[in-house]
Amino acid sequence: MEHSGQKLDKYYIKKVDADKKSIYCHHDLMGELFVPTHKHDKAQLLYAEGDVVFVTTETKTYFLPARHFIWIPSGVAHSIEPKSESVTMRNLYFPVEKDEDDFYKVEGIYPVNNLLLQMMLFTNRWNGDLKKGSPNFAIAKAIKAILPQICLTNLPLELPQPKDPRLSKILRHIENNLGETILFAEVAHQFGYSERSLYRLFQKDLNMSFIQYYTIRRILKAIELLLERKLSVKEVAQEVGYSSVPTFSNTFFKFLGQRPSDYLNGEDILRTK
């Protein structure tokens, strides 16, 4: 199966919104390596397995880990970039309905529990438009309906895009030194700031503190390393600058709601069938 833009006929631009009332399904097993910025009238549920997927909107980059999904509301411009070809993606596109739950109006990343996994597995052979009134449409609609009830924690797995070029340099420095312990005071000194002015720059541009940004970046890197399955949890902790495995494990749990070892041993259901 070829995955050039021509063969796919840019389904996400032409076909998703062609039938306004259908739920559209596209299941990408091969991993198209870049879907450029686009938007659609339907809201999108994108579920991923195998590796991290980067979803970039105008203001943020979301890190979608394996066995999680991102909800993208109607009309939000975004690009999609799987980290590697081992990513499997499942897309369901839903028409917007009147008086919808507020859940559907907000971008967010959520873990997939066993119930949702089984429902997603049911959609394995679907492709294209699911017509209103068909059994598959009813099942897809049930998937959408259950989300606000089971997805209670919107995981903070996104980083804002810096607007200030001075900050871009500092964020690159963090990126390149995730295995070291990076101290705020040292970063301020190295880049010629007082701690107070650098603190203000982070808050003003990114709406978060240095430590918040640094912690999220370390955990996101840890997720990527765990998915490669080459290192132990202890080695992953060291790679992202944690000398204490319990501290790393507790921080990881705070972000993903599961321990690194549980995440490492998680099952990929789409590939097992």
Side-chain angles (χ1 to χ4, degrees):
M1 181 178 176
E2 257 191 64
H3 267 247
S4 68
Q6 277 65 44
K7 291 282 179 192
L8 273 175
D9 198 23
K10 298 269 187 285
Y11 76 90
Y12 45 87
I13 292 170
K14 291 187 176 175
K15 295 179 182 171
V16 168
D17 289 330
D19 179 343
K20 301 288 179 208
K21 292 183 177 170
S22 74
I23 294 172
Y24 190 84
C25 177
H26 181 79
H27 185 35
D28 190 350
L29 277 168
M30 306 295 287
E32 191 182 358
L33 282 181
F34 184 65
V35 175
T37 302
H38 65 287
K39 57 185 175 183
H40 19 77
D41 295 334
K42 289 178 182 171
Q44 179 176 1
L45 183 159
L46 165 57
Y47 168 73
E49 271 183 10
D51 208 335
V52 175
V53 176
F54 303 103
V55 178
T56 304
T57 64
E58 285 169 18
T59 54
K60 292 178 179 173
T61 295
Y62 290 89
F63 290 68
L64 175 61
R67 300 183 297 279
H68 289 69
F69 76 88
I70 185 168
W71 180 265
I72 304 169
S74 160
V76 173
H78 59 283
S79 64
I80 298 169
E81 186 168 12
K83 183 168 175 254
S84 71
E85 288 183 20
S86 60
V87 171
T88 305
M89 292 189 285
R90 163 74 43 79
N91 296 283
L92 288 171
Y93 299 87
F94 297 95
V96 177
E97 295 165 80
K98 273 191 190 141
D99 306 320
E100 284 194 325
D101 192 293
D102 286 345
F103 173 92
Y104 303 116
K105 296 168 188 167
V106 181
E107 297 154 29
I109 289 178
Y110 304 90
V112 172
N113 70 4
N114 286 338
L115 172 61
L116 197 50
L117 271 183
Q118 292 309 316
M119 293 177 85
M120 292 298 287
L121 188 55
F122 207 90
T123 73
N124 237 1
R125 300 212 169 119
W126 298 354
N127 206 13
D129 286 310
L130 311 176
K131 299 287 186 186
K132 207 168 179 178
S134 69
N136 289 353
F137 183 93
I139 294 162
K141 191 136 190 234
I143 290 174
K144 180 184 176 184
I146 204 171
L147 298 180
Q149 298 175 55
I150 60 172
C151 301
L152 305 177
T153 315
N154 186 339
L155 300 178
L157 298 176
E158 79 268 356
L159 287 174
Q161 304 272 44
K163 295 178 277 298
D164 192 314
R166 295 172 302 169
L167 206 49
S168 298
K169 283 184 189 165
I170 294 170
L171 300 187
R172 261 199 306 280
H173 171 74
I174 294 172
E175 188 79 27
N176 295 335
N177 295 280
L178 284 173
E180 315 297 319
T181 302
I182 303 173
L183 299 174
F184 180 63
E186 288 174 8
V187 172
H189 178 71
Q190 186 177 339
F191 286 88
Y193 288 91
S194 70
E195 287 180 49
R196 196 172 166 191
S197 61
L198 185 57
Y199 179 83
R200 279 207 202 114
L201 183 60
F202 264 84
Q203 288 291 1
K204 183 175 174 240
D205 196 323
L206 302 181
N207 209 18
M208 61 172 61
S209 68
F210 167 85
I211 195 70
Q212 282 174 301
Y213 185 94
Y214 178 39
T215 305
I216 293 170
R217 193 64 202 91
R218 292 162 99 183
I219 293 303
L220 295 174
K221 182 67 179 172
I223 290 168
E224 293 182 54
L225 292 170
L226 288 168
L227 287 170
E228 287 172 7
R229 297 178 193 270
K230 290 177 188 162
L231 302 175
S232 67
V233 170
K234 185 180 179 184
E235 289 166 329
V236 169
Q238 287 167 345
E239 282 291 312
V240 295
Y242 284 91
S243 51
S244 155
V245 174
T247 303
F248 167 64
S249 182
N250 290 341
T251 309
F252 192 94
F253 184 81
K254 208 163 69 181
F255 279 87
L256 260 81
Q258 52 187 310
R259 299 281 168 196
S261 51
D262 295 335
Y263 187 67
L264 187 63
N265 299 324
E267 253 192 289
D268 285 348
I269 57 143
L270 296 185
R271 291 166 180 278
T272 55
K273 298 287 168 181

